[in-house]
């Protein structure tokens, strides 16, 4: 009665937001620039944090201009970091709401929401004899988490970035090279051009014998998957994508968000999550690439297309859709 309409926990949140039993949060304790457009964010997780496995990612909820937005970021700190803090490393992308906010505006002391770490882009229990890390741009982040966590006798990395100064963690990578803990090939795409996957024969002649972890843009990962399959060694390739591979787009339609009372026209290629957010509708979201199911929403009427497969889902009682990988397929009504 004393605290109505707030709950006692709302007051506790003010004095002890990271306490055990509270919703999981983290406090940004530092922001370290890495390159011109990337920064490492040091986060002190709340008491409920259960730790992570190298290579996993964490979903974070950040308030940007008064709107809570959720995004996934790979954890770049080792699992045994003594001070209990974790780091993520974010590359600002053009027009990116959360990435630009974190890289350019996030301040120490800011509270963010956290989920537990998750993801299966991880190292196996039994150490492989030879490892290859194939990365590009911000795709280096989960691999840096692995490099900082686990040493192997024979590790080769091929990393692509436009120019030397764009290589995130460059000086740390070169320290590992100097200590003979890593063999590194940097491909500077502004001068060398995009990596032709067939060049691996020359850069890493025994690539097919190596257990490989690859992370980067869709073009690189699609080429790698095709190359490994062609040589019959696809089970040695592990990939992590930061965006869904969108293969099918169709006709769009008029989308109604009936709970909010808003109707907009949408094309057949834009995920309904983006359509809703653009229209000012409060949309739940998660990984934004169809893996976490944090965005599922009832489809009240009409039909939607799964952008990864082209499959059409029609409204029926109880039908839920993943708005981050579904686009309008004609007029539809989304219960938000
Ligand atoms: C498992 C996982 C791990 C990830 N780890 C990292 C990480 O360690 N570091 C990191 O920087 N990012 C990482 N990401 C990507 C991150 O979650 C965001 O997608 C990214 O920061 C862009 O968010 P934004 O709000 O800035 O862009 P938005 O405002 O959502 O999008 C702005 C524009 O950029 C496009 N876009 C969205 N995402 C990308 C992208 N990744 N690349 C290019 N264009 C994009 C959109 O289509 C839109 O046109 C990861 C994603 C996943 C799924």
């Amino acid at each position: 009665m004393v605290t109505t309409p707030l709950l006692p926990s709302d007051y506790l949140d003010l004095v002890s937001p990271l306490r055990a039993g509270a919703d999981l949060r983290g406090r940004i304790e530092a922001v370290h620039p890495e390159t011109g457009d990337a920064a490492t964010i040091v986060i002190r997780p709340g008491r409920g944090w259960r730790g992570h496995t190298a290579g996993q990612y964490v979903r974070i909820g950040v308030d940007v201009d008064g709107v809570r937005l959720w995004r996934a970021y790979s954890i770049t700190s080792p699992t045994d970091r003594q001070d209990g803090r974790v780091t993520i490393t974010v590359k600002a992308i053009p027009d990116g709401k959360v990435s630009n906010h974190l890289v350019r505006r996030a301040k120490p002391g800011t509270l963010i929401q956290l989920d537990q770490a998750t993801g299966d882009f991880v190292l196996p229990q039994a150490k492989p004899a030879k490892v290859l890390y194939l990365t590009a741009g911000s795709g280096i982040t989960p691999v840096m988490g692995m490099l900082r966590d686990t040493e192997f006798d024979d590790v080769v990395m091929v990393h692509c970035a436009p120019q030397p100064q764009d290589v995130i963690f460059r000086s740390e990578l070169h320290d590992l090279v100097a200590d003979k803990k890593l063999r590194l090939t940097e491909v500077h795409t502004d001068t060398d051009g995009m990596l032709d996957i067939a060049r691996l024969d020359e850069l890493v002649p025994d690539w097919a014998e190596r257990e490989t972890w690859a992370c980067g843009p869709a073009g690189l990962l699609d080429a790698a998957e095709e190359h490994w399959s062609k040589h019959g060694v696809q089970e040695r390739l592990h990939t992590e994508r930061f965006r869904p591979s969108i293969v099918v787009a169709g006709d769009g339609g008029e989308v109604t968000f009936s709970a909010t009372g808003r109707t907009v026209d949408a094309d057949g290629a834009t995920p309904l999550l983006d359509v809703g957010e653009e229209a000012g509708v409060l949309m739940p979201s998660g990984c934004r690439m169809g893996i976490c199911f944090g965005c599922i929403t009832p489809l009240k009427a009409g039909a939607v297309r799964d952008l990864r497969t082209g499959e059409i889902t029609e409204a029926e009682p109880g039908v839920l859709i993943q708005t981050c990988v579904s686009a309008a397929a004609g007029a539809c009504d989304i219960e938000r």
Side-chain angles (χ1 to χ4, degrees):
M1 279 171 65
V2 172
T3 62
T4 303
L6 296 175
L7 297 169
S9 60
D10 294 324
Y11 289 93
L12 279 172
D13 283 349
L14 290 176
V15 284
S16 182
L18 305 184
R19 72 189 188 281
D23 287 347
L24 188 58
R25 297 186 183 86
R27 181 187 289 117
I28 295 179
E29 294 201 331
V31 179
H32 301 301
E34 297 281 357
T35 64
D37 57 7
T40 289
I41 319 286
V42 182
I43 300 165
R44 157 104 34 218
R47 293 271 161 76
W49 176 249
R50 295 200 289 266
H52 76 285
T53 303
Q56 286 191 316
Y57 66 90
V58 60
R59 288 194 329 125
I60 65 170
V62 191
D63 292 340
V64 182
D65 300 330
V67 180
R68 171 82 34 95
L69 299 173
W70 286 85
R71 298 289 186 271
Y73 292 102
S74 307
I75 298 174
T76 47
S77 46
T79 53
D80 60 354
R81 191 175 154 131
Q82 292 306 304
D83 62 6
R85 299 189 293 181
V86 294
T87 62
I88 56 172
T89 302
V90 181
K91 182 171 186 297
I93 58 168
D95 300 326
K97 292 191 196 77
V98 174
S99 59
N100 281 283
H101 179 84
L102 289 172
V103 172
R104 308 194 198 286
R105 294 191 292 278
K107 294 270 176 303
T110 306
L111 284 178
I112 57 175
Q113 300 242 200
L114 284 185
D115 260 1
Q116 297 294 344
T118 185
D120 51 14
F121 187 72
V122 294
L123 296 168
Q125 294 286 352
K127 278 192 179 186
K130 293 173 166 194
V131 168
L132 167 60
Y133 293 131
L134 176 61
T135 56
S138 59
I140 198 169
T141 51
V143 162
M144 200 61 200
M146 294 173 176
L147 273 173
R148 285 171 170 165
D149 202 70
T150 309
E151 280 189 18
F152 293 98
D153 294 335
D154 184 349
V155 195
V156 179
M157 177 181 226
V158 177
H159 179 69
C160 310
Q163 300 186 41
Q165 63 269 30
D166 299 315
V167 175
I168 305 173
F169 310 122
R170 188 158 196 254
S171 69
E172 194 175 334
L173 293 174
H174 283 257
D175 288 348
L176 289 172
V177 172
D179 291 347
K180 304 213 173 336
K181 291 182 175 160
L182 176 70
R183 275 188 288 149
L184 172 69
T185 299
E186 288 181 30
V187 178
H188 301 134
T189 52
D190 275 0
T191 45
D192 307 340
M194 298 302 259
L195 175 69
D196 173 358
I197 205 79
R199 273 193 70 207
L200 279 180
D201 285 342
E202 155 216 333
L203 300 175
V204 192
D206 60 355
W207 66 268
E209 292 164 28
R210 292 178 175 270
E211 204 66 28
T212 300
W213 282 265
C215 185
L220 176 70
L221 298 183
D222 291 347
E225 282 170 0
E226 206 185 309
H227 196 65
W228 262 252
S229 293
K230 201 170 88 188
H231 290 83
V233 287
Q234 60 273 27
E235 75 290 344
R236 297 222 175 104
L237 177 66
H238 313 270
T239 55
E240 173 92 310
R241 288 171 189 267
F242 286 178
R243 308 188 70 196
S245 323
I246 291 185
V247 291
V248 207
D251 292 335
E254 194 174 73
V255 183
T256 302
F257 296 93
S258 44
T260 317
R262 219 154 282 173
T263 298
V264 290
D265 279 327
D267 62 39
T270 307
L272 289 163
L273 174 57
D274 294 348
V275 174
E277 284 181 345
E278 203 51 45
V281 179
L282 204 55
M283 302 288 290
S285 69
C287 63
R288 305 182 85 89
M289 60 171 296
I291 50 180
C292 81
F293 292 84
C295 65
I296 54 168
T297 295
L299 175 64
K300 251 176 96 176
V304 300
R305 175 177 286 102
D306 188 315
L307 290 164
R308 301 162 301 177
T309 60
E311 203 174 288
I312 300 279
T313 300
E314 291 184 358
E316 271 176 51
V319 163
L320 297 170
I321 55 158
Q322 287 173 279
T323 60
C324 72
V325 287
S326 304
C332 56
D333 187 339
I334 313 296
E335 205 169 309
R336 286 288 163 211

